PDB file of all heavy atoms in Angstrom:
ATOM      1  N   ASP A 485     108.417 122.585  42.037  1.00  0.00           N
ATOM      2  CA  ASP A 485     108.034 121.176  42.082  1.00  0.00           C
ATOM      3  C   ASP A 485     109.234 120.268  41.817  1.00  0.00           C
ATOM      4  O   ASP A 485     109.367 119.208  42.439  1.00  0.00           O
ATOM      5  CB  ASP A 485     106.933 120.891  41.054  1.00  0.00           C
ATOM      6  CG  ASP A 485     105.591 121.498  41.430  1.00  0.00           C
ATOM      7  OD1 ASP A 485     105.447 121.942  42.597  1.00  0.00           O
ATOM      8  OD2 ASP A 485     104.687 121.538  40.576  1.00  0.00           O
ATOM      9  N   GLN A 486     110.099 120.673  40.909  1.00  0.00           N
ATOM     10  CA  GLN A 486     111.273 119.868  40.566  1.00  0.00           C
ATOM     11  C   GLN A 486     112.167 119.632  41.777  1.00  0.00           C
ATOM     12  O   GLN A 486     112.735 118.540  41.945  1.00  0.00           O
ATOM     13  CB  GLN A 486     112.074 120.566  39.464  1.00  0.00           C
ATOM     14  CG  GLN A 486     113.316 119.819  39.004  1.00  0.00           C
ATOM     15  CD  GLN A 486     114.066 120.571  37.902  1.00  0.00           C
ATOM     16  OE1 GLN A 486     113.528 121.493  37.283  1.00  0.00           O
ATOM     17  NE2 GLN A 486     115.309 120.192  37.674  1.00  0.00           N
ATOM     18  N   PHE A 487     112.283 120.639  42.650  1.00  0.00           N
ATOM     19  CA  PHE A 487     113.159 120.521  43.812  1.00  0.00           C
ATOM     20  C   PHE A 487     112.380 120.310  45.115  1.00  0.00           C
ATOM     21  O   PHE A 487     112.944 120.442  46.197  1.00  0.00           O
ATOM     22  CB  PHE A 487     114.092 121.720  43.898  1.00  0.00           C
ATOM     23  CG  PHE A 487     115.219 121.629  42.895  1.00  0.00           C
ATOM     24  CD1 PHE A 487     115.079 122.152  41.621  1.00  0.00           C
ATOM     25  CD2 PHE A 487     116.396 120.962  43.221  1.00  0.00           C
ATOM     26  CE1 PHE A 487     116.100 122.034  40.684  1.00  0.00           C
ATOM     27  CE2 PHE A 487     117.420 120.838  42.298  1.00  0.00           C
ATOM     28  CZ  PHE A 487     117.270 121.374  41.018  1.00  0.00           C
ATOM     29  N   SER A 488     111.098 119.959  44.983  1.00  0.00           N
ATOM     30  CA  SER A 488     110.339 119.446  46.125  1.00  0.00           C
ATOM     31  C   SER A 488     110.492 117.933  46.068  1.00  0.00           C
ATOM     32  O   SER A 488     109.784 117.241  45.334  1.00  0.00           O
ATOM     33  CB  SER A 488     108.863 119.856  46.018  1.00  0.00           C
ATOM     34  OG  SER A 488     108.721 121.248  46.183  1.00  0.00           O
ATOM     35  N   ASN A 489     111.426 117.417  46.816  1.00  0.00           N
ATOM     36  CA  ASN A 489     111.875 116.040  46.589  1.00  0.00           C
ATOM     37  C   ASN A 489     110.905 114.974  47.046  1.00  0.00           C
ATOM     38  O   ASN A 489     111.034 113.808  46.659  1.00  0.00           O
ATOM     39  CB  ASN A 489     113.258 115.851  47.212  1.00  0.00           C
ATOM     40  CG  ASN A 489     114.310 116.653  46.468  1.00  0.00           C
ATOM     41  OD1 ASN A 489     114.204 116.864  45.261  1.00  0.00           O
ATOM     42  ND2 ASN A 489     115.317 117.121  47.180  1.00  0.00           N
ATOM     43  N   GLU A 490     109.901 115.353  47.841  1.00  0.00           N
ATOM     44  CA  GLU A 490     108.843 114.393  48.154  1.00  0.00           C
ATOM     45  C   GLU A 490     108.054 114.028  46.895  1.00  0.00           C
ATOM     46  O   GLU A 490     107.443 112.950  46.832  1.00  0.00           O
ATOM     47  CB  GLU A 490     107.905 114.945  49.238  1.00  0.00           C
ATOM     48  CG  GLU A 490     106.922 116.011  48.780  1.00  0.00           C
ATOM     49  CD  GLU A 490     107.490 117.433  48.758  1.00  0.00           C
ATOM     50  OE1 GLU A 490     108.731 117.574  48.704  1.00  0.00           O
ATOM     51  OE2 GLU A 490     106.684 118.384  48.784  1.00  0.00           O
ATOM     52  N   LEU A 491     108.112 114.905  45.890  1.00  0.00           N
ATOM     53  CA  LEU A 491     107.422 114.649  44.625  1.00  0.00           C
ATOM     54  C   LEU A 491     108.277 113.855  43.647  1.00  0.00           C
ATOM     55  O   LEU A 491     107.784 113.419  42.600  1.00  0.00           O
ATOM     56  CB  LEU A 491     107.019 115.982  43.971  1.00  0.00           C
ATOM     57  CG  LEU A 491     106.148 116.922  44.805  1.00  0.00           C
ATOM     58  CD1 LEU A 491     105.847 118.200  44.026  1.00  0.00           C
ATOM     59  CD2 LEU A 491     104.856 116.236  45.243  1.00  0.00           C
ATOM     60  N   GLN A 492     109.559 113.671  43.963  1.00  0.00           N
ATOM     61  CA  GLN A 492     110.487 112.997  43.047  1.00  0.00           C
ATOM     62  C   GLN A 492     110.788 111.555  43.461  1.00  0.00           C
ATOM     63  O   GLN A 492     111.510 110.846  42.761  1.00  0.00           O
ATOM     64  CB  GLN A 492     111.802 113.786  42.973  1.00  0.00           C
ATOM     65  CG  GLN A 492     111.646 115.260  42.662  1.00  0.00           C
ATOM     66  CD  GLN A 492     110.809 115.521  41.423  1.00  0.00           C
ATOM     67  OE1 GLN A 492     110.876 114.775  40.444  1.00  0.00           O
ATOM     68  NE2 GLN A 492     110.003 116.574  41.454  1.00  0.00           N
ATOM     69  N   VAL A 493     110.238 111.123  44.587  1.00  0.00           N
ATOM     70  CA  VAL A 493     110.472 109.751  45.049  1.00  0.00           C
ATOM     71  C   VAL A 493     109.841 108.758  44.079  1.00  0.00           C
ATOM     72  O   VAL A 493     108.733 108.964  43.585  1.00  0.00           O
ATOM     73  CB  VAL A 493     109.876 109.543  46.464  1.00  0.00           C
ATOM     74  CG1 VAL A 493     109.939 108.070  46.874  1.00  0.00           C
ATOM     75  CG2 VAL A 493     110.613 110.410  47.479  1.00  0.00           C
TER      76      VAL A 493
END
Side-chain angles (χ1 to χ4, degrees):
D485 289 348
Q486 181 180 344
F487 284 89
S488 292
N489 292 329
E490 75 276 21
L491 304 179
Q492 308 308 323
V493 172

